[in-house]
């Protein structure tokens, strides 16, 4: 068994962070990630001040701001990165309050639909914001490891990519999802759409269907998405968040299949969310005798919280100038939102392009 340490590159300089939002994702992912990476969080603000105070005490954040204006002022004075961990519906209300020329990490999704995503992009451009969207799955250690092996040519030319999820997701943990019309694709499969795009590029067409469970009020909990990349490449996403029948037949993985081998990464977080089980990273190559040889790699870190280190580090390194590209910049993120929109069009009307 070989060990790969799949860590994201950290910035060379200290850039502080101020956070708008004190919900579950900040508690479970943002702040644990920043603590692990040694990032400095100067202040936090939330409409529910009690939540902000609890997180400040738990993670040693020195300032809890009473107003968003006071947090913005503090962030501007310290050239901080603004971390917007807020519902998609609030992004266009908050972005105009940020200082021009500042840096911001926007929680996914990039708005509630493509129209709002374009508005967000317009605001960022008008204010000259260095803006990225928190599509952190791109930076999960198992995705980093897969990208490294693929870039090294280990499995040859990738011709098939598959995401499979058959598990139980406790949607009640997010109250705001109960009353919105778009849930599964916009708030969950969007991660996989973004990762597929990052490996395979833009599809020619998208075909999809997303449906709800008969005993839930959540708008949708299961989706199938097919990407058209021509006659030799395929990519599919199939999710079922309703499989509440024990772990025996639950599944959660991403597969990359190539002309010389295959990679399968189990996403353990989703098998007992939010606690999770260990990830598993396996790959197979064909030996000189044309026999498949499976190997397992031990990879340090997992989706939560390590991927959140990666996406913030990426923004910090771009701001400081040590990286020339910003992978999840709003200019790229809007393309993920375009693909999401195509999926919903296909599900609703059969339109695919």
């Amino acid at each position: 068994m070989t060990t790969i340490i799949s860590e994201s590159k950290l910035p060379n300089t200290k850039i502080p962070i101020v956070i708008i939002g004190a919900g579950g994702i900040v508690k479970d992912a943002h702040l644990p990630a920043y603590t692990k990476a040694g990032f400095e969080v100067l202040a936090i603000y939330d409409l529910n001040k009690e939540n902000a105070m609890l997180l400040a005490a738990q993670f040693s954040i020195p300032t809890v701001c009473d107003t968003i204006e006071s947090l913005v002022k503090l962030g501007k004075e310290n050239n901080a990165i603004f971390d917007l961990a807020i519902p998609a519906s609030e992004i266009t209300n908050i972005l105009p309050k940020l200082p021009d020329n500042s840096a911001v990490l926007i929680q996914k999704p990039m708005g509630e639909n493509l129209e709002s995503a374009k508005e967000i992009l317009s605001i960022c451009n008008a204010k000259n914001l260095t803006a990225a969207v928190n599509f952190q799955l791109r930076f999960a250690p198992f995705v980093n490891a897969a990208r490294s092996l693929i870039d090294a040519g280990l499995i040859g030319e990738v011709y098939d990519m598959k995401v499979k999820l058959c598990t139980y997701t406790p949607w009640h943990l997010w109250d705001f999802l109960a009353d919105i019309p778009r849930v599964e694709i916009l708030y969950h499969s969007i991660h996989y759409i973004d990762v597929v795009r990052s490996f395979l590029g833009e599809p020619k067409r998208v075909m999809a269907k997303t449906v709800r469970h008969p005993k839930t009020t959540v708008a949708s909990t299961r989706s199938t998405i097919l990407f058209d990349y021509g006659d030799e490449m395929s990519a599919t996403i199939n999710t079922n968040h309703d499989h509440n029948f024990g772990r025996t037949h639950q599944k959660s993985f991403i597969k990359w299949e190539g002309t010389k081998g295959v990679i399968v990464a189990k996403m353990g977080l989703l098998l007992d969310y939010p606690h999770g089980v260990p990830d598993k990273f396996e790959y197979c190559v064909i030996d000189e005798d044309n026999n498949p040889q499976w190997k397992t790699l031990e990879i340090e870190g997992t989706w939560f919280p390590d991927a959140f280190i990666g996406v913030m580090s990426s923004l910090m390194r771009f701001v400081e100038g040590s990286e020339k590209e910003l992978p999840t910049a709003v200019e790229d993120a809007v393309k993920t939102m375009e693909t999401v929109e195509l999926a919903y069009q296909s599900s609703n009307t059969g339109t695919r392009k």
Side-chain angles (χ1 to χ4, degrees), residues 130-316:
T130 301
V133 177
N134 202 340
F135 285 130
Q136 77 289 142
L137 182 57
R138 288 196 189 201
F139 297 91
F142 49 81
V143 174
N144 288 342
R147 200 180 302 277
S148 295
L149 296 185
I150 291 168
D151 288 347
L154 186 72
I155 67 169
E157 181 182 353
V158 175
Y159 62 80
D160 184 78
M161 190 169 171
K162 181 180 182 65
V163 180
K164 175 67 176 179
L165 179 67
C166 180
T167 186
Y168 175 71
T169 298
W171 295 107
H172 63 273
L173 295 178
W174 304 277
D175 293 339
F176 73 96
L177 295 179
D179 300 318
I180 60 177
R182 293 182 170 186
V183 176
E184 203 289 320
I185 296 177
L186 183 63
Y187 279 90
H188 188 87
S189 283
I190 191 172
H191 283 299
Y192 311 133
I193 290 172
D194 187 67
V195 168
V196 168
R197 282 191 55 251
S198 77
F199 279 92
L200 305 183
E202 310 306 324
K204 297 178 180 180
R205 295 187 301 163
V206 178
M207 294 151 280
K209 186 64 181 177
T210 187
V211 297
R212 57 173 292 185
H213 189 276
K215 293 185 177 180
T216 183
T217 58
V218 178
S220 54
T221 57
R222 289 165 290 144
S223 303
T224 298
I225 306 170
L226 293 86
F227 302 86
D228 181 358
Y229 283 104
D231 295 334
E232 294 186 350
M233 184 184 295
S234 62
T236 60
I237 297 169
N238 181 258
T239 63
N240 176 2
H241 296 266
D242 301 315
H243 191 81
N244 193 19
F245 305 103
R247 287 282 316 285
T248 303
H249 291 288
Q250 290 188 352
K251 299 181 185 301
S252 173
F253 66 83
I254 305 177
K255 183 200 72 172
W256 296 262
E257 193 163 319
T259 52
K260 294 165 54 178
V262 60
I263 298 168
V264 179
K266 183 175 80 172
M267 301 180 288
L269 171 69
L270 304 175
L271 292 172
D272 185 24
Y273 189 88
H275 310 291
V277 302
D279 296 332
K280 189 174 184 180
F281 189 95
E282 300 171 286
Y283 73 94
C284 176
V285 294
I286 305 300
D287 66 16
E288 295 178 354
D289 297 322
N290 206 35
N291 295 316
Q293 300 293 325
W294 281 95
K295 298 181 180 181
T296 300
L297 297 181
E298 285 292 330
I299 299 175
E300 293 188 5
T302 187
W303 186 348
F304 281 34
D306 298 85
F308 289 77
I309 298 175
V311 72
M312 179 57 84
S313 290
S314 171
L315 177 56
M316 287 181 170

Side-chain angles (χ1 to χ4, degrees), residues 30 104 138 204 346 348:
H30 290 239
V104 55
R138 288 196 189 201
K204 297 178 180 180
S346 177
N348 294 337

